Amino acid sequence: MKKVLVYIICSIVSWNTLYSQNITGRILDKEKQEVIFANVLLQTVDSTFIAGTTSNEKGEFKIQKILAGDYRLVISSIGYQTMCVDLQGFQHSANLGILTLQDLSRQLGEVTITASNMISTTGKKMIFPSQKQANASANGMDLLRNLMLPRLNINPMDNSVGTTDGGSVQLCINGRKVSKEEIMALQPSDIIRIEMLEDPGLRYGDASAAVNYVVKHYDIGGSLGYNGVQSIKSWYGQHNVNGKLSFGKSEISIRYGNFLQYCNELWYNRSETFNFADGRQYHRKQLTQTDGQKQLFQTGALSYNFQDGNKYMLNISAGLSHNLNPGMRYYGKLYTEEYPDLVTERKEASHNRTLSPSLDIYFQRNLKNNQLIALNAVGTYINTNNHKSYAEYLNDETVVNYTSGVRGMKYSLITEGIYEKGFANGGQLGMGIKHAQSYTDNEYTGTLYYKTKMKQASTYGYAQYRGKWQNLRYGIGLGFTRSWFKQEGEEDYKTWSFNPRFNLNYTINSQWSTALEGNISTANPSLSQLSAADQLTDSLQINRGNPNLRPSNNYNTKFRLNYNKNKWNIGLFCNYYMYDEAIMPQIYREKDKFIHSYANHPDFQRLSGGIDARLGMLWNILTLSGGIYTNQHWSNGIDFHHSHQSIGWQLGATFMYKNFTGMFLYKNDTDNFFGETLNRGEEAQLVQLQYRLKKINIGLRMLNPFQNDYKRKDTNWNQYAGYEYEYHVDDIARMVCVTFSWNFSFGRNYKSGGKRMSNSDTENGIIE
């Protein structure tokens, strides 16, 4: 028995020794400055990936638990020559000491990193863009599109980012939550790497994924940039200007962007079925066109940043957004099949404007022993001014004439604080609390008059621990949400809910890994859904808020299997969502009117699955991506039960040769179904060719080259007032655009931490 115990103890010691070898080192540049976020890859001699990490704020790195063998350590960072360290006959832990990277300028000719280095770890991918991909991109969003990452879906029209299974994506810069407009203001040359978090954690709410840009900072100099897209056929265009100026510990930055859409040919057809309480039934049809759709969205910000190395940071940002839809006019014919001789002329006009200034103050302090605290306060004012008119004429006589207008003012304050602590064993503790307080004063004028005053408050707190046991990474957390709402003249309500979360990530080997996560989140009704006011739509329909809405609990479970080897990255996923007491639209009868409102319905369920893949770069010039996805929906309402299934797919390719870059994208999204409304999946294509001349990129882009007519189809299955809706925009089909960008930067890296949060308020509290 004693020999057996000795054998077991020796075996355990030998096993631990076998896996206890570590490789450590410190990376500096020629000026003895730390190189942060350098890419450190451990490979076999035949270039098979073993492990990877990045250098910290001191330039240090550590790769743990390595088997004895022959290896090659590859160290790379944008702006430096790649270093290779051969580790032949590696048996014991090794401290490589100081490793000095040389600037690219010291090497003859142009050095190009030819592939996009991707490190896949449990729950996160780290992507290091190649020089080709950075040069071929006009901004941060363009670079993300060129990387063609699995699971991500980037809309070619408005640059919104989502997941292929319909989830939301939180965009970040150095860990700070930001908008897509801020990503479009990033210069590709400033981006060190992009991190994709498969399981973002409680701090990111209900986001399905998070994409974090790790960017450079400057202690002297700055940057200037412009990038734009302009249609040749119409006034459609996107234009962005940004600049930074750094001096000492301070940095001033400014950005401005606009999105202009002007469509000359736009029309829609709508078929409606109305079932009245007395048994009557109307089949109504609308054939409507407009004299042009105009929309101008502008956003900008002026920011000041003061930073003392890695000790603390203060950031103050004043932002302004402006959304204008001027002079929209629809006209056409409206008739009912039961009365074919009574064809009325329909005219509708609207003018909408929203102006929203905001002030964002952020402070971050890095403490000893791998600790961090951050505080954020955001004040927002939203001013809304909308006008609408609706009229029907029969033989030049007025049958219906409605006017409506709303002047709204919303004031909100969002405050948040977080604390994070890292441990020597790789574990991390995170805690935070966020409180949002808003006040809304709306005046509805026209045919109906209402004045509403609403107050809303929401508090969210969480604590989460992440750790590791052998090949298993785990996380467990608990959050709580307190919601309070009060409308003048109505009773207030207050609710509490708990939001637990878990995640398990298991690394099978260097190629295969799995992930399982689950959480319960809370969805609060918006102020517009809660508003006790009516808005007349036409002679039969009214939009109305519901002040009796309550928050909904959402139960989510996600499973994913990943394969990553050499140029291949493949993922198989299956997600299940169940929304209890789901806040969904409701249509009901009230005398001879049909009311469009919201209610807490029993539940809504969605099961989604699919496979996505990325291959590249092939022959150092080509990257391919694609996937196929399916969604199954079950909608159980107060007075309805529906189910629907759909399949979607997408294919993409990026081609890079010398100074030329080509892109092709073809996608057919899965249908979106919620409540009783089915939105058919969008079919879209993108073909683009760009040429780089030093710091200038110029090219041509065509949207939807294989469509004669861009259209969207919606269907509502309500038993009282169902409809079919088909929307056409000719200008978006075969739209040819010119792309142009110019980016210039000067200065050197400024070592710093990143802002960890950013809050904003965009919901205006208006019922429409």
Side-chain angles (χ1 to χ4, degrees), residues 456-496:
Q456 188 178 38
S458 177
T459 303
Y460 172 70
Y462 72 90
Q464 185 173 36
Y465 180 80
R466 296 171 181 260
K468 181 181 180 182
W469 181 71
Q470 295 184 357
N471 289 344
L472 177 68
R473 288 188 178 271
Y474 61 89
I476 185 169
L478 179 64
F480 72 88
T481 303
R482 175 190 179 272
S483 303
W484 175 82
F485 172 75
K486 169 66 177 177
Q487 179 165 328
E488 191 175 80
E490 305 282 345
E491 294 185 3
D492 65 342
Y493 76 79
K494 178 172 61 178
T495 61
W496 289 83

Side-chain angles (χ1 to χ4, degrees), residues 31 56 59 211 324-325 455 493 524 621 723:
E31 298 177 354
N56 61 19
V211 174
L324 178 65
N325 295 82
K455 297 179 181 179
Y493 76 79
N524 290 308
I621 59 175
Y723 61 81

Side-chain angles (χ1 to χ4, degrees), residues 84-97:
C84 295
V85 180
D86 288 329
L87 301 171
Q88 301 292 330
F90 176 81
Q91 293 183 352
H92 305 287
S93 294
N95 185 343
L96 303 181

Side-chain angles (χ1 to χ4, degrees), residues 576-579 582-586 599-607 632-645 672-678 716-718:
Y576 174 74
Y577 307 85
M578 200 278 279
Y579 308 147
I583 302 171
M584 297 191 293
Q586 180 187 30
N600 289 103
H601 295 269
D603 67 76
F604 178 84
Q605 302 175 60
R606 177 163 64 94
L607 179 65
Q632 175 69 53
H633 302 88
W634 297 272
S635 185
N636 300 309
I638 296 173
D639 54 0
F640 60 82
H641 300 279
H642 303 301
S643 64
H644 178 72
Q645 195 216 6
N672 180 33
F673 182 73
F674 190 68
E676 295 186 277
T677 302
L678 172 64
N716 184 278
W717 295 336
N718 183 260

Side-chain angles (χ1 to χ4, degrees), residues 256-473:
Y256 168 79
N258 64 50
F259 173 78
L260 176 63
Q261 183 173 340
Y262 188 106
C263 298
N264 295 312
E265 300 179 44
L266 182 151
W267 75 97
Y268 69 81
N269 299 327
R270 186 182 181 100
S271 299
E272 302 166 298
T273 301
F274 299 100
N275 292 294
F276 294 88
D278 59 6
R280 288 178 298 140
Q281 189 177 70
Y282 284 176
H283 294 85
R284 192 172 72 172
K285 293 185 180 295
Q286 298 182 41
L287 306 176
T288 305
Q289 60 184 356
T290 180
D291 58 359
Q293 179 184 10
K294 309 176 186 69
Q295 180 183 5
L296 175 63
F297 176 73
Q298 303 177 88
T299 179
L302 177 64
S303 302
Y304 171 75
N305 182 280
F306 182 83
Q307 193 158 332
D308 185 2
N310 288 298
K311 295 180 181 179
Y312 63 86
M313 178 179 71
L314 173 66
N315 190 89
I316 302 174
S317 180
L320 180 67
S321 66
H322 177 234
N323 193 5
L324 178 65
N325 295 82
M328 176 75 71
R329 292 184 294 272
Y330 289 100
Y331 55 92
K333 297 188 180 297
L334 178 68
Y335 70 94
T336 304
E337 291 183 359
E338 285 74 14
Y339 304 96
D341 296 332
L342 300 178
V343 179
T344 60
E345 297 290 333
R346 176 185 181 274
K347 294 184 179 180
E348 182 179 356
S350 64
H351 179 97
N352 302 324
R353 180 192 64 81
T354 301
L355 186 67
S356 178
S358 62
L359 180 64
D360 183 337
I361 301 176
Y362 176 86
F363 178 77
Q364 177 180 309
R365 183 74 167 93
N366 297 323
L367 306 174
K368 295 181 179 179
N369 301 319
N370 202 11
Q371 299 179 92
L372 174 145
I373 58 171
L375 303 171
N376 186 215
V378 180
T380 307
Y381 169 69
I382 302 177
N383 182 279
T384 303
N385 193 344
N386 297 343
H387 300 279
K388 183 178 180 180
S389 64
Y390 177 86
E392 296 176 20
Y393 303 92
L394 179 62
N395 298 326
D396 295 329
E397 293 186 7
T398 302
V399 178
V400 174
N401 189 2
Y402 296 144
T403 61
S404 62
V406 57
R407 293 183 178 89
M409 295 180 294
K410 180 181 179 182
Y411 308 86
S412 71
L413 178 64
I414 302 174
T415 57
E416 183 175 10
I418 63 172
Y419 168 80
E420 293 180 353
K421 163 68 177 174
F423 299 94
N425 61 1
Q428 185 184 52
L429 174 66
M431 296 184 292
I433 188 166
K434 177 180 178 180
H435 180 77
Q437 189 86 28
S438 61
Y439 170 77
T440 304
D441 187 352
N442 295 331
E443 183 180 18
Y444 297 86
T445 60
T447 305
L448 300 178
Y449 180 84
Y450 291 92
K451 191 173 180 61
T452 62
K453 294 184 178 181
M454 298 177 287
K455 297 179 181 179
Q456 188 178 38
S458 177
T459 303
Y460 172 70
Y462 72 90
Q464 185 173 36
Y465 180 80
R466 296 171 181 260
K468 181 181 180 182
W469 181 71
Q470 295 184 357
N471 289 344
L472 177 68
R473 288 188 178 271

